[in-house]
Every structure is written in C-alpha cells, then in structure tokens.
Amino acid sequence: MSEPKKYRVLLADDHALFLSGLSGLLSRRPECEVVGTAANGAECLQLIRTVPHDVVLMDIDMPVMDGIQATELALADNPEEKIITLSMHAEEAFYFRMVEAGAKGFILKSADLDEVVAAIRIVCEGGSFFSQELLQHLVGSLKTSRQEQPALLSDREKEILLLICKGLSNQEIGDRLFISKRTVDKHRANILEKTGCKNTANLVVWAIKNGIVAI
C-alpha cells in the first residue's frame, strides 16, 4: 500500500501554546509535514519566501504584521500561494477581509483536527475550503440583505458553481461531469465575469446570497 501524499505546512500564530499544539498534532498525521512556524505575519512572510511548502495556515490577529497584510504580500509575490485563514473569529468582517486578501480557505480554531487536515488537502489540490460553522454564520448575516438576482448563470454554470463551492478542483469537477478540465476552466472564467467575483471565496458568498448554495 502506497504512502499517503504529504503536504508541507507552514503555521503562523502568535499564541505559543496553540502553535505548538497544532504543530504537534499535524506532525503526527501521515498527510502533513510541518516545515516551519512563525509567531507573526512578518516571520511567516519570510518563511513563505524561503522555505519550500505547499500551504500556509495563517492567523489574523498577530503582532508586527497581521495575517491580512502578510497574505496580501505573499499573494503579490506569488498569486498561486495557498493560504488558509485559521481564526477565532466567525464575524463577517474578518471573513471578507481575508477573502479580499486572497485566502483560499477559512477555518475556525474551534475546528477538530480532521477538518483542519481536510482543509489542507482540499486547498493543496486546488480547491477551496470554508468551515460549515463559518458558512452558517454568513448565511444568517446575509439573509437580511439577500435580494433576488436575474438569472445570470446557465444551468450548467450553476451546476459547476455548486461544485466549486463544495471545494472541488477544476479537474475534479470535470471528472464528475464528464467534461474536460479546459471546459471547466472556461465555465469558471465565465462565472467570475458574470458575477463580478474576483475569486472562489467571493463566489461562495455570491452563491449563498443568491440561493445557489444551501447550508
């Protein structure tokens, strides 16, 4: 039996006990290898630039440089950088700030280890991951502002958007729908253009607002 794929993980959090604990727990998982830890955004940015890795778990509230600025700078260096927000906050404002910064996922520190590992795997494979607890909170806060939108998307585009929101990569969506990855790439580009969204994280919110995704 082949060994599971290992994902090289960088961790950034200013709470030493939490950082040490999460690092130890992830290191015991066969799918994960913690290759560096940082106590603030500036240290994390230095690691991102110098240590080979697959994904970064980034806290928001940190001294010297917060996770939002570190994420923005990391994505400016490398738009393909995979960063997952790991936060105590489920508030809408924190989510949107990290989405705008370019994070590929958002999980809460109250998540169990299996959820953290699932987020790492999905994001590393090209998908996005947002905790159900967070999405439930967003649904509640967005319900009051939800408005009916014109039918911007075709049935196929809505089908693909639903799979995007479930965290599937373009290749996985193509396999599921029996179409090529290139076709999915084109549909995704069209969806982004029609909705005015910048990235997958924005699409998740748009889909919630417009009733395409039910949580």
Side-chain angles (χ1 to χ4, degrees):
M1 190 173 181
S2 61
E3 290 291 323
K5 183 174 181 179
K6 269 193 181 290
Y7 302 109
R8 298 167 298 176
V9 184
L10 293 177
L11 301 176
D13 196 287
D14 63 325
H15 293 92
L17 284 175
F18 178 84
L19 185 64
S20 176
L22 181 59
S23 177
L25 290 171
L26 287 176
S27 295
R28 293 187 181 97
R29 295 291 294 250
E31 313 97 318
C32 298
E33 178 187 4
V34 177
V35 294
T37 61
N40 59 64
E43 287 182 9
C44 185
L45 190 60
Q46 181 64 22
L47 288 176
I48 289 171
R49 289 169 171 169
T50 58
V51 176
H53 62 281
D54 299 306
V55 65
V56 183
L57 267 61
M58 181 88 72
D59 189 19
I60 296 177
D61 297 323
M62 293 186 290
V64 184
M65 179 188 293
D66 65 26
I68 297 168
Q69 186 180 2
T71 297
E72 289 172 338
L73 291 172
L75 269 293
D77 287 344
N78 176 18
E80 301 303 313
E81 190 70 57
K82 295 176 172 62
I83 296 176
I84 300 171
T85 304
L86 186 61
S87 177
M88 293 176 60
H89 307 286
E91 282 81 4
E92 183 179 338
F94 286 99
Y95 172 84
F96 284 114
R97 288 178 71 188
M98 287 303 286
V99 165
E100 288 299 320
K104 301 294 192 299
F106 200 120
I107 53 180
L108 300 177
K109 290 184 178 181
S110 57
D112 61 32
L113 187 61
D114 286 341
E115 184 175 13
V116 176
V117 173
I120 290 170
R121 177 183 57 80
I122 289 169
V123 169
C124 284
E125 296 302 319
S128 57
F129 188 96
F130 304 95
S131 72
Q132 287 298 305
E133 185 179 348
L134 172 71
L135 292 180
Q136 290 280 9
H137 182 87
L138 282 174
V139 168
S141 65
L142 292 172
K143 276 181 179 176
T144 56
S145 62
R146 178 174 167 180
Q147 299 176 348
E148 292 300 320
Q149 297 288 331
L152 297 173
L153 306 181
S154 68
D155 289 342
R156 174 61 94 182
E157 287 168 343
K158 289 177 182 177
E159 188 177 22
I160 288 173
L161 176 55
L162 180 59
L163 294 175
I164 290 172
C165 292
K166 289 182 177 180
L168 274 66
S169 68
N170 285 10
Q171 184 63 61
E172 290 171 328
I173 293 170
D175 293 343
R176 178 79 64 89
L177 300 179
F178 303 104
I179 57 179
S180 70
K181 178 181 177 295
R182 181 174 294 183
T183 299
V184 179
D185 291 341
K186 291 179 180 178
H187 279 305
R188 184 190 284 260
N190 288 338
I191 293 167
L192 288 169
E193 183 177 358
K194 286 182 177 182
T195 60
C197 295
K198 294 180 180 179
N199 52 41
T200 301
N202 290 131
L203 278 175
V204 172
V205 175
W206 189 93
I208 292 170
K209 283 184 175 180
N210 291 280
I212 293 172
V213 172
I215 306 300

